[in-house]
Amino acid sequence: MDSPVSDGTVTVPVGGTIDDLSISPLTLTPAFSPSIADYYVRCDAGSNDLTLSITTGGSTSTSEHILNEGDAIIVGDNWVRCLPHDFPNVVVTAHPDVGTPTPGYYLVSDNIFAAALDVNGTPVWYERELAACDVDSFSPDTLSYLPNAEFPYAFDGKSVFDIHSLDTGDVETVSSPDAPTDEHELRVLDDGTFLLFSDPLVTGVDLTGLSTFGSDETIADCEIEQVDGSGNLLWSWRATDHVDPVKESVAPGVNKINGVNVDDVFHCNAIDVGPNNDLLVSQRHTSALYDIDRGTGTVQWKLGGTAFSKDGAPHLAVTGDDFGGFNLQHDARFTGSNTITLFDDHGLDAGAGSGVARGLELQLDHGAGTATVSYQVRGKAESQFMGSFRRDADGHSVVGWGYVPTDARILTEVDADGNDVLDVGFVLPPPLKASDAVSYRAIKVPLSQLDHNKLRAAVVADTGSGSGAD
């Protein structure tokens, strides 16, 4: 007997205003509301026999459909997506008594999918990949992410960033021309060129005095590269030229790569362009931020970490903070000439009970050599890795929590008064690990950045046999 054939994405005619909508035997999520346009049902692998029920004007009609994962049913202005069986369970907690999130899309990922969620937590767009990471949108109707991330950093040279055009379906790739492309950051400059990290290995490094390391170590360097659309290297900067790992690394790691122990003494994870075309660089394993002069490569000032600077740069210390400063941070960003935001993991290397993960805004005083906390959103426990924090012009902020073993939330949005207006979590069923449902960052973009219908149409039906468009 032949296997049933999927109906694909189908349009069901509807006459009049929809009063109710359901799909059996599955659960429509979120619950139907005239104010909501995007829904999903969690499908099984392969084909799914479904019954659509539509109520208009007190009369209910039904129709039968066979859908594969990724297919959709269009009913008027409403889309119901047949969500893949292995997409994380999305847990949404709204707080309408306090307030509502601003319109927009949350750009997130787990260990497989890149996705854009609406403010109801519905995946309006997603793409299955080998290991999706760092989803962002740098220009209207484009989505960028690294589809084949390697953790904790790149090591085999195969990783690339993809920039997807929702208009044409074309994919532009960006990668380092001479070393493994790191998954932590991609920035697009005003001239159309790109900034990214690469992780070249350096042998014979003397780390005597740092923990138990010796005089002949192999380390993963942190290299910032500016490349054009053809992959040509235009400018580069290496941490080993400007940062002393023995005197500045506070939480080095060791990874075995191709049978060799490689010391992770820097672990760069964020780049931002400052008001003077300087670069703000976050190094997780030094627990410090570095402001770099693009012309000379010199570190102009250092924030956090140890007071030592190989370049002799002024040191800014966090003062008046209950947690004693940030630790193992991510996602550092300029929000003004003397204002910086970051996600403070305050991870296990900081010591158990030393604080909780938080989104942090710091006011810099270069004259006094200090940074003070001007705003923060505190979490529930330390975050072991990943995370993000962004503040919007309307005063709302979005925190991506990284991996907090006791907290399944991937993001929280708070309003201008610091009230929690929305929490979104990812949960994976056993035997999948909770750490596989972590989103590297949670970036919110306004509705105007990504066309709603183009997002919907860009989802590729998936039979479970592999990746989507790629």
Side-chain angles (χ1 to χ4, degrees):
M1 181 177 179
D2 293 336
S3 300
V5 178
S6 167
D7 293 346
T9 296
V10 296
T11 300
V12 178
V14 59
T17 301
I18 299 175
D19 301 316
D20 196 14
L21 183 68
S22 64
I23 293 187
S24 61
L26 304 178
T27 301
L28 188 73
T29 306
F32 178 77
S33 168
S35 63
I36 296 176
D38 288 271
Y39 303 86
Y40 66 89
V41 291
R42 182 168 297 279
C43 288
D44 292 330
S47 60
N48 294 259
D49 297 306
L50 304 175
T51 301
L52 172 70
S53 298
I54 307 171
T55 301
T56 59
S59 176
T60 300
S61 62
T62 62
S63 55
E64 305 297 323
H65 303 277
I66 300 173
L67 298 185
N68 285 329
E69 298 163 284
D71 289 342
I73 298 178
I74 306 172
V75 186
D77 293 330
N78 304 295
W79 279 54
V80 182
R81 182 73 62 183
C82 185
L83 199 64
H85 71 285
D86 53 350
F87 195 96
N89 293 315
V90 185
V91 180
V92 178
T93 305
H95 306 279
D97 54 323
V98 175
T100 57
T102 55
Y105 299 106
Y106 304 106
L107 305 183
V108 297
S109 61
D110 73 337
N111 199 38
I112 301 176
F113 293 93
L117 311 180
D118 66 15
V119 293
N120 299 305
T122 301
V124 179
W125 167 89
Y126 61 85
E127 185 77 45
R128 180 196 295 274
E129 299 290 0
L130 294 175
C133 185
D134 195 13
V135 189
D136 212 331
S137 177
F138 295 108
S139 59
D141 294 332
T142 63
L143 287 160
S144 69
Y145 58 90
L146 196 139
N148 52 349
E150 299 170 323
F151 298 102
Y153 50 85
F155 52 83
D156 75 355
K158 297 179 182 178
S159 296
V160 298
F161 278 96
D162 287 348
I163 302 177
H164 295 248
S165 169
L166 296 180
D167 288 318
T168 66
D170 293 337
V171 179
E172 178 183 8
T173 61
V174 182
S175 62
S176 166
D178 54 14
T181 303
D182 189 277
E183 72 273 9
H184 286 94
E185 189 72 280
L186 176 68
R187 307 294 291 169
V188 180
L189 301 179
D190 292 340
D191 63 1
T193 61
F194 306 92
L195 289 174
L196 50 77
F197 290 123
S198 65
D199 302 309
L201 301 187
V202 181
T203 59
V205 180
D206 187 357
L207 294 182
T208 304
L210 175 64
S211 185
T212 59
F213 297 111
S215 60
D216 186 18
E217 299 283 344
T218 298
I219 71 169
D221 206 345
C222 159
E223 183 170 15
I224 306 171
E225 297 186 327
Q226 181 183 2
V227 299
D228 63 18
S230 299
N232 298 307
L233 181 64
L234 306 177
W235 177 87
S236 65
W237 180 93
R238 282 203 177 198
T240 44
D241 294 331
H242 303 276
V243 181
D244 186 329
V246 174
K247 296 181 178 179
E248 299 188 58
S249 186
V250 297
V254 180
N255 307 104
K256 189 171 288 294
I257 297 176
N258 297 325
V260 176
N261 284 337
V262 177
D263 308 328
D264 188 7
V265 293
F266 303 122
H267 201 96
C268 291
N269 58 24
I271 311 169
D272 197 35
V273 181
N276 299 313
N277 202 34
D278 49 328
L279 297 182
L280 181 67
V281 176
S282 168
Q283 293 187 11
R284 168 185 163 92
H285 289 176
T286 66
S287 286
L289 310 182
Y290 300 82
D291 187 82
I292 298 169
D293 184 297
R294 289 284 303 280
T296 64
T298 303
V299 175
Q300 300 183 103
W301 48 262
K302 175 183 176 181
L303 170 60
T306 67
F308 180 84
S309 167
K310 184 175 181 177
D311 281 357
H315 180 254
L316 305 179
V318 180
T319 61
D321 178 29
D322 292 344
F323 291 172
F326 56 83
N327 177 275
L328 303 179
Q329 76 290 333
H330 286 75
D331 200 41
R333 295 288 183 261
F334 282 110
T335 55
S337 58
N338 290 305
T339 311
I340 284 173
T341 59
L342 57 88
F343 179 71
D344 178 14
D345 291 68
H346 239 90
L348 297 181
D349 293 83
S354 63
V356 298
R358 53 185 176 162
L360 196 60
E361 182 180 72
L362 296 170
Q363 189 71 37
L364 310 184
D365 186 334
H366 292 280
T370 60
T372 55
V373 177
S374 54
Y375 184 81
Q376 62 179 307
V377 180
R378 296 188 178 187
K380 297 179 179 180
E382 296 100 336
S383 179
Q384 293 187 8
F385 44 79
M386 304 186 183
S388 60
F389 178 59
R390 305 288 175 93
R391 301 204 70 188
D392 295 328
D394 64 358
H396 280 231
S397 302
V398 174
V399 187
W401 293 111
Y403 179 50
V404 180
T406 57
D407 187 355
R409 293 180 302 171
I410 61 167
L411 68 88
T412 293
E413 181 169 342
V414 299
D415 65 16
D417 296 322
N419 298 308
D420 184 347
V421 297
L422 185 72
D423 296 295
V424 178
F426 276 173
V427 177
L428 288 173
L432 297 173
K433 299 178 295 182
S435 57
D436 287 335
V438 178
S439 183
Y440 171 58
R441 288 174 176 161
I443 308 299
K444 191 172 188 182
V445 297
L447 292 178
S448 59
Q449 183 75 2
L450 299 168
D451 183 271
H452 192 192
N453 287 320
K454 292 175 184 176
L455 280 175
R456 289 165 155 179
V459 175
V460 178
D462 185 0
T463 61
S465 60
S467 64
D470 290 339

